[in-house]
Amino acid sequence: MDIDNNNNKSNNLAERAIVSRRQLSFIADLNLKQREAVETINGPLLVLAGAGTGKTRALTARIAYLIDCGYAKPNQILAVTFTNKAAQEMRQRIEKYLGSTVEGMPWIGTFHSIGAKILRRHAELIKLKSNFTILDTDDQLRLLKQLISLEKIDEKRWPARNFLGLLDHWKNNAWTPDRLPQDEINKFDGKGQKIYKLYQERLSILNSVDFGDLILFPILLMQLNSDLLDQYHKIFKYILVDEYQDTNVSQYLLLRLFAEGHRNICCVGDDDQSIYGWRGAEVKNILSFEKDFSGSKVVRLEQNYRSTPHILGAASSLIKANSSRLGKELWTNISEGEKVRLINHWDGSEEARWIGEEIESLSFGTRGMKPFSYNQISLLVRASFQMRAFEERFIQLGLPYKVIGGPRFYERKEIRDALAYFRASISFDDGLAFERILNTPKRGFGDKSMQLLNELAREKNMGLMSAAKFAIDNDKLPTKLSLELDKLISNFKRWNSDFLDNSKKHTEVAEMILDESGYTQMWQSEKTPDAAGRLENLKELIKALDEFENMQGFLEHISLIMEMETEKDIPKISIMTLHAAKGLEFPVVFLPGWEDGLFPSQRSMDQKGKLGLEEERRLAHVGITRAQQYCVISFASNRRIFNQWQNTMPSRFINELSEENIEILNSKSDFGSYSNGWSNISEIDQTYNHKSYNSPGWRRMSSNVHKKLPIKEIVDPFVSSTPNNFIIGSRVFHQKFGYGIIKEINVDKIRVAFEKSEPKDIMASFLVHEDDV
DNA sequence: CCAAGGCCGGTTTTT
DNA sequence: CCGGCCTTGG
């Protein structure tokens, strides 16, 4: 709103003085490196920011600096994050720095929200209306199931869920149906490309896009309309990207298109915190930044403000085992603190018991530490099924806890149903929403009538609601169903005009819809224990809706932001996955379940071999670096997984931790070898003793670790083509050209000087290290 | 069309 | 052990 603020400032000396004081306030307390990251404004810049080095601070100070010094207007800065939380935090900090609102910064947001914004502006160029809906996974699956059965593919062998995985992969790589690589086309029973095409056509008719399209379509828009791209080049004078290590190929391409304009792109990231490879993130992007953006500068933030030296030491010793790194060494001014503690338990429930007891002690103050509040304590697990044991234990002990990133509000059935009613009322084209609630509450529509309508819709190339109308008019349905359907459709027409009627409040219309459709009634008459809770949730939904001006805005909001802010309550212990913990910090961190196969996860290693293991190791690194003062790693000798007891070996990561930063707490059970599992908790708590690395238990454990399961070497052409497998100067072999020396690496094109042939640019996937021949 | 029971499978998850 | 999905029988 208040954009002019910045333009007027130079006219007024007093204000100028204020401005420079303000500048001091957000630059003065930065360290030299951070300052360099803020003040290097021209050309491509990569900021390698280790955990806890003030990354967000530097990033936001940079934006404030650009605006305050007049390098850019607030609306000329594109700042992209991955999560809404990060975007929100960025906004708040900038506001704090600039002392004004950031209303005038339309281009701060997640990749997807910015993609959606661009797409809405130019929807017609890509055969969409600008009020298109954004599908969720449920909708996508429903649509895919239809298409798969239509193609007469056996759904058992080729589940829609698998196709969704493929689709994701394709869109992450910016492959449209026509641009699919040869070896992708015939995936999924030979019909991959065909279904992809059908899917996109159907989406277009439904006036819908999926999440992948929110990145993919803007890329296409920019590639196909050079004048449009020019426009955006003019708008985006400065580009900033947070968590660059998490970008996938599509996101990278989009950024590169925009960056071609002013070439002022600043990416912040940490290759050691890249933990989303499994969903398409390419570490390659950050590793080859300097190659991708010529003339770039790299600034490393290595001073850590978060953790004690022992915690940092343990984390660095671990991450050193990774081979593909840009290399950073975190250091700190913080003086001595607790060593990282390591403890073994007989089994998972003993582990849960011990941690529960330990948390109680910590909350009263123990071992010379000040008492910790529960909200200073967190428990980070590899997989969410591990949480249950702790929740059960904490409930028994009466310890308050919260699960972060648990089942999300907008993913609940009743919420989705309600939203489907709203969506179908707003847009008659939204066939997937209509289909969802057609028989909810029961209106007598089963598979058969549903199929009839769907086939009709596809045949006539119309939305499901129009097809329904057609079916009624042409007597395609039993009279009873026709009457029901007719009633429903006229309801939707009325609800639609109610939403458009400005004299009616949208929340009231929404409530009315839920009542008139019989949806509320449906839950009221249901006797299951959770029915009451569902009705509560519906009320919550209406409350959330009240924050918005109209239904359209609300729907846009929730399709992009899948969470509801939870009110702050009494202090609680935070339980979450390691993935969810990225970006957070806690004084106390518990890291249970460090057992080979669980963490590192066997599946990760099976699927991606060494690269998978390295990603797991980064995850471990993320875990340890969350801790500010006190970090406890634990593992159990026996664990029940899917109700089956398994003997477990300590995680290989434990052996990689530097001895001098670790203190071993050993329970009587001596690494589980002779404990009968009945040990009494308090006894364990009181009798753990501090053992050196030479205890018999430790030696046994170590020797077990050496028997680590072999890692399968998987040759995935896409993955193994990362240039980091090769370095300049190494000797490689090529099937046709023989041996040669690497001279230059450019993403996956590698220039090789062959011994018996001219130098050539070769795709990385065709080269092997000389040792591997 | 629907409710009840059998069977299979089961990381990480944001937008 | 749990939840989702499919089959089966009313």
Side-chain angles (χ1 to χ4, degrees):
Chain A
M1 297 280 136
D2 210 44
I3 319 171
D4 289 341
N5 217 3
N6 296 291
N7 304 334
N8 295 337
K9 71 180 183 197
S10 49
N11 301 331
N12 182 325
L13 276 180
E15 268 200 42
R16 248 188 189 163
I18 291 168
V19 165
S20 61
R21 255 210 312 283
R22 249 199 272 139
Q23 273 181 26
L24 280 179
S25 78
F26 61 79
I27 292 190
D29 51 346
L30 296 178
N31 67 37
L32 282 178
K33 288 288 170 187
Q34 289 172 327
R35 222 175 146 136
E36 196 180 344
V38 169
E39 290 172 350
T40 306
I41 56 163
N42 287 319
L45 173 70
L46 176 64
V47 180
L48 284 174
T53 55
K55 172 196 71 160
T56 314
R57 196 155 150 212
L59 201 57
T60 45
R62 184 182 165 91
I63 294 175
Y65 179 80
L66 288 172
I67 294 172
D68 227 11
C69 296
Y71 290 108
K73 290 183 189 147
N75 59 5
Q76 291 175 318
I77 295 173
L78 171 67
V80 215
T81 63
F82 272 83
T83 62
N84 293 296
K85 214 167 115 194
Q88 216 181 322
E89 195 183 325
M90 195 182 277
R91 268 177 191 280
Q92 280 165 3
R93 290 227 207 167
I94 297 169
E95 272 174 29
K96 205 181 78 190
Y97 285 152
L98 293 179
S100 64
T101 59
V102 209
E103 295 277 324
M105 293 202 65
W107 301 110
I108 293 185
T110 62
F111 270 102
H112 296 271
S113 66
I114 285 169
K117 184 174 247 171
I118 291 174
L119 208 48
R120 292 219 191 270
R121 290 180 155 198
H122 317 288
E124 74 291 347
L125 290 175
I126 215 141
K127 283 192 216 160
L128 284 167
K129 299 180 206 160
S130 73
N131 68 346
F132 60 79
T133 43
I134 301 166
L135 300 186
D136 58 30
T137 317
D138 266 25
D139 298 322
Q140 284 180 289
L141 275 175
R142 204 152 345 104
L143 180 55
L144 284 173
K145 274 182 190 156
Q146 285 173 30
L147 296 176
I148 288 168
S149 74
L150 197 83
E151 282 302 301
K152 308 265 185 291
I153 297 174
D154 181 7
E155 251 211 84
K156 281 251 177 60
R157 285 180 53 204
W158 305 98
R161 202 156 262 296
N162 289 5
F163 193 87
L164 204 60
L166 274 179
L167 196 65
D168 210 46
H169 180 223
W170 292 341
K171 292 193 174 180
N172 284 342
N173 283 286
W175 293 330
T176 58
D178 296 326
R179 294 184 191 168
L180 275 186
Q182 205 53 42
D183 53 338
E184 299 285 329
I185 287 176
N186 287 323
K187 286 187 174 173
F188 212 78
D189 205 16
K191 303 240 173 71
Q193 188 181 37
K194 187 167 182 209
I195 295 180
Y196 188 7
K197 269 192 179 139
L198 287 172
Y199 171 84
Q200 292 302 138
E201 279 164 17
R202 202 64 202 139
L203 243 55
S204 174
I205 291 166
L206 294 167
N207 191 31
S208 307
V209 300
D210 63 21
F211 272 105
D213 293 336
L214 292 178
I215 313 294
L216 184 53
F217 285 172
I219 293 178
L220 297 181
L221 278 175
M222 299 304 149
Q223 286 176 342
L224 300 175
N225 306 283
S226 58
D227 46 330
L228 192 64
L229 181 58
D230 284 345
Q231 269 180 46
Y232 280 92
H233 281 162
K234 291 206 181 78
I235 300 175
F236 300 147
K237 260 176 116 171
Y238 289 92
I239 300 174
L240 294 94
V241 188
D242 193 14
E243 307 277 15
Y244 188 63
Q245 78 282 353
D246 289 337
T247 50
N248 59 37
V249 172
S250 280
Q251 289 158 339
Y252 162 75
L253 288 175
L254 188 61
L255 286 174
R256 213 177 57 177
L257 280 166
F258 288 146
E260 279 165 6
H262 290 272
R263 292 183 43 82
N264 294 325
I265 180 166
C266 166
C267 295
V268 182
D270 181 1
D271 49 320
D272 292 335
Q273 292 189 63
S274 162
I275 54 175
Y276 285 109
W278 51 273
R279 68 175 201 215
E282 281 287 341
V283 211
K284 199 156 77 176
N285 288 346
I286 193 164
L287 295 177
S288 57
F289 182 88
E290 295 174 76
K291 300 258 154 40
D292 293 342
F293 297 98
S294 61
S296 63
K297 182 171 174 181
V298 178
V299 174
R300 284 183 160 76
L301 304 185
E302 293 173 306
Q303 181 176 4
N304 176 293
Y305 295 96
R306 179 184 294 156
S307 314
T308 64
H310 282 309
I311 292 169
L312 278 188
S316 335
S317 62
L318 180 78
I319 199 67
K320 273 196 188 113
N322 270 7
S323 57
S324 47
R325 296 180 65 211
L326 290 168
K328 266 183 280 73
E329 186 79 46
L330 296 180
W331 58 277
T332 178
N333 274 337
I334 301 174
S335 55
E336 288 304 301
E338 301 286 321
K339 285 188 173 180
V340 171
R341 289 192 163 83
L342 180 61
I343 184 165
N344 169 238
H345 302 280
W346 168 247
D347 64 12
S349 52
E350 190 182 284
E351 184 181 48
R353 252 181 310 189
W354 187 83
I355 289 179
E357 297 282 317
E358 182 71 359
I359 288 176
E360 286 195 324
S361 315
L362 287 168
S363 73
F364 291 117
T366 182
R367 285 196 284 286
M369 290 185 279
K370 275 189 277 175
F372 289 100
S373 150
Y374 290 132
N375 55 18
Q376 294 181 300
I377 299 173
S378 73
L379 189 112
L380 313 180
V381 295
R382 173 67 243 266
S384 42
F385 69 80
Q386 295 171 263
M387 293 178 184
R388 215 178 59 215
F390 295 101
E391 293 192 59
E392 279 167 9
R393 188 65 200 156
F394 289 176
I395 289 170
Q396 266 180 21
L397 292 172
L399 290 175
Y401 70 89
K402 60 185 165 187
V403 174
I404 312 251
R408 265 169 283 163
F409 186 74
Y410 292 113
E411 273 167 15
R412 288 163 212 253
K413 184 177 160 29
E414 67 277 18
I415 302 301
R416 290 207 148 148
D417 287 341
L419 291 173
Y421 271 104
F422 303 155
R423 275 165 54 189
S425 307
I426 289 287
S427 160
F428 297 148
D429 292 328
D430 196 338
L432 292 165
F434 185 68
E435 182 182 342
R436 182 181 177 106
I437 46 73
L438 179 53
N439 201 32
T440 314
K442 304 267 179 294
R443 295 189 181 91
F445 289 86
D447 285 348
K448 224 174 147 193
S449 35
M450 196 70 92
Q451 209 178 345
L452 184 129
L453 291 182
N454 270 324
E455 270 164 21
L456 210 54
R458 201 167 8 255
E459 220 174 274
K460 307 263 177 234
N461 253 348
M462 44 170 69
L464 196 63
M465 211 185 290
S466 324
K469 189 100 187 64
F470 183 87
I472 298 167
D473 295 342
N474 293 278
D475 282 331
K476 301 268 186 197
L477 287 168
T479 332
K480 209 175 143 212
L481 290 189
S482 268
L483 286 173
E484 277 290 340
L485 200 51
D486 192 49
K487 209 170 87 193
L488 189 64
I489 291 177
S490 52
N491 271 341
F492 272 116
K493 294 228 162 100
R494 191 159 40 80
W495 296 332
N496 178 269
S497 55
D498 285 343
F499 273 133
L500 296 177
D501 183 348
N502 283 330
S503 69
K504 291 189 169 127
K505 195 153 190 277
H506 59 298
T507 49
E508 277 157 26
V509 178
E511 275 182 305
M512 195 184 75
I513 291 176
L514 295 182
D515 284 340
E516 289 185 0
S517 62
Y519 192 74
T520 320
Q521 177 63 39
M522 180 184 99
W523 288 116
Q524 278 164 351
S525 50
E526 178 149 334
K527 286 172 188 63
T528 52
D530 53 342
R534 293 184 193 274
L535 287 164
E536 266 317 297
N537 289 337
L538 290 173
K539 281 201 191 115
E540 279 296 309
L541 180 71
I542 303 289
K543 227 197 278 171
L545 172 62
D546 200 25
E547 307 282 312
F548 289 79
E549 278 197 12
N550 55 45
M551 183 52 86
Q552 243 136 350
F554 180 65
L555 290 177
E556 170 84 7
H557 171 82
I558 51 175
S559 56
L560 289 172
I561 303 179
M562 289 294 284
E563 57 202 282
M564 273 228 310
E565 64 280 11
T566 45
E567 72 266 52
K568 286 179 194 76
D569 232 347
I570 51 162
K572 285 173 182 155
I573 303 158
S574 300
I575 303 180
M576 69 193 95
T577 62
L578 287 158
H579 284 92
K582 196 172 72 163
L584 305 178
E585 58 185 17
F586 296 91
V588 179
V589 170
F590 287 92
L591 300 166
W594 281 42
E595 293 131 41
D596 239 60
L598 182 61
F599 189 36
S601 129
Q602 192 57 50
R603 196 144 146 186
S604 213
M605 294 186 287
D606 288 348
Q607 276 172 8
K608 287 199 147 189
K610 190 171 162 240
L611 291 172
L613 176 65
E614 297 209 342
E615 181 154 314
E616 295 285 309
R617 193 177 281 113
R618 290 193 291 267
L619 202 48
H621 173 254
V622 166
I624 298 173
T625 52
R626 296 312 96 194
Q628 294 171 301
Q629 298 169 45
Y630 184 48
C631 177
V632 186
I633 295 170
S634 60
F635 60 97
S637 308
N638 300 281
R639 196 169 287 276
R640 196 169 55 179
I641 293 178
F642 304 135
N643 213 23
Q644 276 197 311
W645 282 99
Q646 289 188 331
N647 271 315
T648 49
M649 284 190 292
S651 169
R652 64 192 78 195
F653 296 154
I654 287 177
N655 240 26
E656 295 167 1
L657 298 168
S658 50
E659 211 175 307
E660 66 269 23
N661 302 110
I662 303 292
E663 178 176 5
I664 300 187
L665 304 185
N666 213 343
S667 72
K668 242 189 178 173
S669 58
D670 190 22
F671 286 85
S673 55
Y674 54 78
S675 162
N676 57 13
W678 299 98
S679 349
N680 160 310
I681 326 130
S682 53
E683 193 183 330
I684 290 169
D685 199 23
Q686 283 153 22
T687 55
Y688 64 72
N689 42 42
H690 299 203
K691 292 206 173 184
S692 75
Y693 263 63
N694 282 319
S695 69
W698 178 262
R699 281 204 302 273
R700 189 166 48 254
M701 181 183 94
S702 302
S703 67
N704 275 345
V705 170
H706 289 308
K707 284 185 263 167
K708 56 179 111 172
L709 312 167
I711 306 172
K712 252 196 284 174
E713 276 304 331
I714 302 213
V715 188
D716 179 335
F718 190 70
V719 175
S720 67
S721 67
T722 48
N724 40 293
N725 287 345
F726 299 106
I727 51 170
I728 289 173
S730 53
R731 196 158 176 270
V732 290
F733 178 76
H734 183 271
Q735 277 291 336
K736 199 165 154 200
F737 303 115
Y739 288 95
I741 305 285
I742 292 184
K743 289 293 168 199
E744 205 181 313
I745 302 176
N746 204 342
V747 195
D748 50 10
K749 279 215 196 71
I750 297 187
R751 190 151 187 85
V752 184
F754 288 107
E755 287 164 10
K756 297 187 176 156
S757 170
E758 292 295 305
K760 287 184 177 61
D761 285 332
I762 305 282
M763 294 286 285
S765 50
F766 291 111
L767 294 173
V768 286
H769 286 282
E770 59 168 340
D771 307 340
D772 301 336
V773 178

